[in-house]
């Protein structure tokens, strides 16, 4: 069996296990604007608090979790912030996924894929030459 086929099989088996766990022990708390679903464990194990988790809509990417749900997932808040909360500010930018490692990744001036040349700066290194 090829390496890629094994990874695909393991991924499918993990997804089945997560879906069974969610069906048996999870209680849907809500969804966000990206379609991610958030769950709370129905009954906590003795001596622990109820677990919280997210099932992503599409590619699992941690940066897809909006701030109101991030606080809930990490037990900072008892409930996610409602849409009409005064903490939602009009100047907050819309979420963008992490583009690191893609062709859309940020490359500063002087990056090898941006031509490798940039304007000189005051902090540039100048080698010492003895006189």
């Amino acid at each position: 069996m090829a390496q890629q086929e094994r990874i695909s099989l393991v991924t499918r088996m993990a997804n089945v296990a997560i879906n069974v766990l969610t069906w048996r022990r999870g209680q849907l708390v809500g969804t966000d604007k990206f379609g991610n679903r958030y769950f709370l464990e129905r009954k906590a194990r003795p001596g622990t608090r109820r677990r919280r988790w997210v099932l992503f809509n599409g590619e699992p990417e941690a940066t897809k979790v909006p701030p109101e749900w991030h606080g809930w997932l990490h037990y900072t808040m008892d409930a996610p912030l409602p849409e009409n909360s005064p903490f939602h500010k009009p100047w907050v930018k819309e979420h963008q996924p992490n583009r690191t490692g893609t062709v859309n990744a940020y490359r500063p001036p002087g990056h090898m894929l941006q031509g490798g040349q940039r304007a000189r700066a005051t902090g540039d290194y100048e080698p010492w030459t003895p006189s």
Side-chain angles (χ1 to χ4, degrees), residues 45-91:
R45 290 169 286 133
T48 65
R49 55 186 170 186
R50 294 166 69 184
R51 288 193 263 178
R52 300 172 178 183
W53 68 93
V54 58
L55 291 182
F56 291 100
N57 179 23
E59 186 71 24
E61 172 62 48
T63 62
K64 286 184 182 177
V65 176
E68 56 268 14
W69 284 100
H70 181 272
W72 178 81
L73 278 172
H74 293 275
Y75 301 95
T76 304
M77 300 180 286
D78 291 333
L81 288 175
E83 291 294 323
N84 59 357
S85 169
F87 294 104
H88 291 286
K89 305 295 184 194
W91 44 261

Side-chain angles (χ1 to χ4, degrees), residues 1-7 9:
M1 185 180 292
Q3 178 74 16
Q4 190 63 28
E5 290 176 14
R6 271 187 258 136
I7 291 172
L9 179 63

Side-chain angles (χ1 to χ4, degrees), residues 5-60:
E5 290 176 14
R6 271 187 258 136
I7 291 172
S8 178
L9 179 63
V10 169
T11 302
R12 285 195 307 262
M13 289 171 41
N15 286 340
V16 168
I18 289 169
N19 287 329
V20 169
L21 170 81
T22 300
W23 174 72
R24 288 188 64 222
R25 297 188 182 171
Q27 171 187 347
L28 181 65
V29 175
T31 59
D32 63 21
K33 59 187 171 187
F34 303 115
N36 301 326
R37 296 176 299 156
Y38 298 87
F39 293 90
L40 179 65
E41 192 173 31
R42 292 176 204 232
K43 184 179 176 187
R45 290 169 286 133
T48 65
R49 55 186 170 186
R50 294 166 69 184
R51 288 193 263 178
R52 300 172 178 183
W53 68 93
V54 58
L55 291 182
F56 291 100
N57 179 23
E59 186 71 24

Side-chain angles (χ1 to χ4, degrees), residues 68-122:
E68 56 268 14
W69 284 100
H70 181 272
W72 178 81
L73 278 172
H74 293 275
Y75 301 95
T76 304
M77 300 180 286
D78 291 333
L81 288 175
E83 291 294 323
N84 59 357
S85 169
F87 294 104
H88 291 286
K89 305 295 184 194
W91 44 261
V92 175
K93 292 182 179 179
E94 195 62 32
H95 168 77
Q96 292 184 352
N98 185 353
R99 300 184 196 282
T100 303
T102 69
V103 295
N104 297 323
Y106 171 72
R107 294 188 180 99
H111 189 279
M112 293 304 294
L113 296 176
Q114 294 289 87
Q117 300 294 322
R118 64 170 178 78
R120 289 192 49 78
T122 56

